[in-house]
Amino acid sequence: MHLSSHTWMRPEPLEHTLQRLRSLGYSSIELAGEPTLYPARETRQLLEKYNLECWGTVTIQHGSRDLTAADPQQRRNTIQYMKDVVHLCANLGGKIVTIVPARVGKLAPTSTPENEWKWVVEGLREVAALAEEVHVKIGLEPLNRFETYFLNRIDQALALADEVGHGCGVVCDPFHLALEERDLYSAIKACGHRLVDFHVADHNRLAAGDGSFDWPKIMSVLAETGYDGGLAVECMPPIDRTPIGNFGAYQLEDKAPNVSPDHLQFIIDHGSGVLSEAYYTEMLRRSAQTMLPFLD
């Protein structure tokens, strides 16, 4: 296993992200699935400059990106978007793509359960077939009920992956699983060899080590599955908007962020905000401090 990090949590130039990760001991990145932000040639050059690998990419399900949508054209556009994210991964030498089927923050269905399941299976089969062709693994990530109603548990993700086929696997994020599973450790074990990616944040979505998770036990169970991929840090803290936290002054960026309205809403829908350089860097440092000893 190796230490990786997502990039979507703080909008900033990729070179700045890579510079920080290299200095903190990270080995790879899991890029936000925004193909227009990462031209292949320039991105490869930056990765080489900082001696970091592209572990993979993750779909960023905001705006109209939604395989459960009742509108067929919306689903068609989402399928194409996901295919573009697969190509982004393959072009950068990445190994995996994490896929969330529905729009994050969509909490009310727009059709019957049977229709939504059928639409998602049909769409993901196309995406998974392409991924198989370009030698990239895809994994389905269940989220907690406050971010999606569609896929919340590992048994659901495994059932969906079975119907999709083409080597489709699953993704574990203990932050989500701790809210939805009866037993976090059994859920991780149930993934077995089908585990494609593993996301890292503590029970409160702060840095690993700044919450109540038993990381030695989590890592022991993870090792039992045979998983040997990235541990992709994905902290997304709540903002303390009270006098206790000085009204978010340390946590929040004080300059106007250079971010699209959809991406900004995506961050807000995760219950957070655009984080300051100092606060974000400290979360990544703390995460590395907690996780790297398991990788020696």
Side-chain angles (χ1 to χ4, degrees), residues 164-182:
V164 171
H166 298 284
C168 184
V170 295
V171 175
C172 275
D173 185 325
F175 165 74
H176 296 296
L177 300 185
L179 287 169
E180 301 297 343
E181 300 284 356
R182 174 180 287 185

Side-chain angles (χ1 to χ4, degrees), residues 110-129:
T110 49
S111 188
T112 66
E114 294 82 3
N115 279 343
E116 290 185 328
W117 186 264
K118 173 175 172 287
W119 295 333
V120 171
V121 169
E122 289 173 348
L124 288 176
R125 278 180 180 159
E126 281 194 50
V127 179

Side-chain angles (χ1 to χ4, degrees), residues 17-83:
T17 301
L18 299 180
Q19 207 169 25
R20 181 195 297 111
L21 293 178
R22 183 74 270 169
S23 70
L24 295 174
Y26 286 73
S27 300
S28 76
I29 55 166
E30 185 166 333
L31 283 171
E34 299 293 355
T36 58
L37 294 182
Y38 305 112
R41 183 178 174 187
E42 292 91 331
T43 303
R44 280 196 299 265
Q45 287 173 342
L46 284 173
L47 290 168
E48 289 172 11
K49 179 177 178 179
Y50 292 98
N51 193 27
L52 287 165
E53 300 288 330
C54 176
W55 164 235
T57 54
V58 56
T59 61
I60 302 298
Q61 298 299 101
H62 60 45
S64 61
R65 297 167 181 171
D66 183 6
L67 288 180
T68 67
D71 179 2
Q73 188 57 53
Q74 189 177 345
R75 296 197 305 273
R76 188 74 250 155
N77 293 344
T78 302
I79 293 167
Q80 186 56 56
Y81 160 71
M82 290 179 172
K83 287 181 175 181

Side-chain angles (χ1 to χ4, degrees), residues 6 52 102 116 130 133 143 145 164-165 188 194 202 205 211 219-220 224 233 236 240 257 269 288 290:
H6 287 266
L52 287 165
E116 290 185 328
L130 171 65
E133 183 182 318
L143 307 182
R145 71 191 74 181
V164 171
I188 295 172
R194 301 179 70 181
D202 224 299
R205 219 165 193 182
M219 293 302 294
S220 175
E224 287 179 31
V233 171
M236 187 88 295
D240 188 343
D269 285 342
T290 299

Side-chain angles (χ1 to χ4, degrees), residues 5-12 30-34 38 58-60 147 199 205 233-236 259 263 266-268 270 272 280:
S5 177
H6 287 266
T7 63
W8 64 266
M9 299 90 73
R10 185 175 193 270
E12 61 184 9
E30 185 166 333
L31 283 171
E34 299 293 355
Y38 305 112
V58 56
T59 61
I60 302 298
E147 294 184 28
H199 297 173
R205 219 165 193 182
V233 171
E234 192 181 29
C235 306
M236 187 88 295
V259 58
H263 194 154
F266 185 72
I267 291 172
I268 292 169
H270 281 79
S272 193
Y280 184 65

